[in-house]
Amino acid sequence: MALIQLNDVSKSYQVGQISQPALRNVSVDIETGGLVTFVGPSGSGKTTLLNLIGCMDRPSSGRITVDGKRVDNLGRKASAAFRGAHLGFIFQSFNLLPVLTVYENVEYPLLMIRRAPADQRQERVLRILEAVDMAGQKDKLPDQISGGQKQRVAVARALVTQPKVILADEPTANLDTETAKKIIALMREMRDAFGTTFVFSTHDPRIVEQADVVHTIVDGRLVSDSDFALHKSSGGADHA
Ligand code: ADP
Ligand code: MG
């Protein structure tokens, strides 16, 4: 079974008397260990789709399974618990807490959801900060580091609880192209190191190239799929 499955998922937003369709009959499987992107123009439904996978919202119809659990019908509390235990999030605007240091920002999710003993917590935070090459900046405040560095910290923060899936809605939109590519490369490294599946959206074709699997979404519909040499051990050499 795929790590994430969407079966015939539709979502409409009710705006006054009008029902505004945002996703139309989307079915897609996302396998473990991919770097998977949803690409499409503004307003095509990317955020809606990621919000549904991330249990931030519920579909109007259809079925969504994440890591073996039906999530399309979860209530508020259950979806919050599921998010905390299974998912990590990276945001376009980084969303670091400005009064906390780099170290404290990464520690924060562990304080919120896990009762790891202090020494284990410290070890885990430092290990993740080293993995994203930010250990040397651990005592700085977000204001004292660059945008690219902030997003590295945000990647670390998403990873620290060891979720199977990290969702990122346009994580590179506030970065220049070179920095953006480095963030995607970092996701790939972290995927290899921790087995995390990354699902992100973008509308930047230069970023799309960096993904393993690209799903194109236009006007709420999935229009085409193309597999870019999944790093998985299907045995075949990569000729492309
Ligand atoms: P994208 O992330 O690709 O830009 P969105 O998922 O944000 O697309 O939006 C898809 C469609 O749904 C758009 O037409 C948008 O205007 C509409 N939409 C998104 N969120 C809401 C909302 N909360 N209420 C009403 N309409 C919304
Ligand atoms: Mg969006």
Side-chain angles (χ1 to χ4, degrees), residues 36-39 46-47 50 168-172 199-203:
V36 177
T37 190
F38 287 90
V39 58
K46 303 182 295 298
T47 296
L50 289 177
D169 193 8
E170 307 223 23
T172 61
V199 182
F200 67 99
S201 67
T202 183
H203 55 247

Side-chain angles (χ1 to χ4, degrees), residues 3-238:
L3 179 62
I4 299 170
Q5 288 190 313
L6 277 73
N7 289 312
D8 206 17
V9 169
S10 296
K11 172 73 182 176
S12 296
Y13 295 102
Q14 200 65 34
V15 185
Q17 301 285 71
I18 296 162
S19 174
Q20 163 83 40
L23 285 180
R24 306 165 198 250
N25 308 99
V26 171
S27 294
V28 65
D29 282 2
I30 296 174
E31 303 293 342
T32 300
L35 208 62
V36 177
T37 190
F38 287 90
V39 58
S42 182
S44 56
K46 303 182 295 298
T47 296
T48 301
L49 183 66
L50 289 177
N51 283 347
L52 293 179
I53 296 172
C55 308
M56 311 290 281
D57 203 354
R58 281 153 55 151
S60 307
S61 62
R63 175 192 285 250
I64 304 174
T65 309
V66 179
D67 197 14
K69 183 165 173 74
R70 272 287 290 273
V71 299
D72 52 82
N73 50 8
L74 293 180
R76 204 173 265 278
K77 267 195 168 168
S79 55
F82 187 82
R83 280 198 299 275
H86 297 264
L87 305 173
F89 294 86
I90 300 169
F91 303 94
Q92 179 177 332
S93 48
F94 321 128
N95 290 15
L96 300 181
L97 292 166
V99 298
L100 299 185
T101 64
V102 163
Y103 178 94
E104 290 164 343
N105 265 284
V106 175
E107 184 186 38
Y108 190 77
L110 287 180
L111 296 173
M112 289 298 101
I113 66 154
R114 301 255 164 127
R115 266 158 274 257
D119 54 335
Q120 274 181 33
R121 203 166 64 223
Q122 183 181 19
E123 192 190 310
R124 187 167 329 162
V125 173
L126 290 175
R127 188 159 54 90
I128 296 280
L129 281 173
E130 268 159 32
V132 303
D133 203 19
M134 284 299 294
Q137 324 280 324
K138 72 181 172 59
D139 297 322
K140 290 195 173 159
L141 293 169
D143 269 355
Q144 299 171 311
I145 59 176
S146 70
Q149 289 176 323
K150 282 182 196 153
Q151 203 55 311
R152 299 181 90 80
V153 175
V155 171
R157 180 183 55 185
L159 281 164
V160 77
T161 56
Q162 302 176 327
K164 282 204 176 156
V165 180
I166 291 184
L167 300 166
D169 193 8
E170 307 223 23
T172 61
N174 287 330
L175 302 173
D176 63 81
T177 302
E178 277 319 298
T179 309
K181 283 184 178 170
K182 284 183 190 155
I183 291 296
I184 305 301
L186 176 66
M187 290 182 184
R188 182 183 304 285
E189 261 178 60
M190 298 300 105
R191 184 274 309 272
D192 293 344
F194 301 106
T196 318
T197 301
F198 285 88
V199 182
F200 67 99
S201 67
T202 183
H203 55 247
D204 184 344
R206 290 163 302 186
I207 299 309
V208 172
E209 294 170 358
Q210 315 286 309
D212 299 321
V213 182
V214 180
H215 297 293
T216 305
I217 179 167
V218 175
D219 214 6
R221 285 181 214 280
L222 227 46
V223 292
S224 69
D225 291 1
S226 41
D227 270 20
F228 285 68
L230 242 189
H231 266 238
K232 283 174 47 187
S233 55
S234 45
D238 180 0

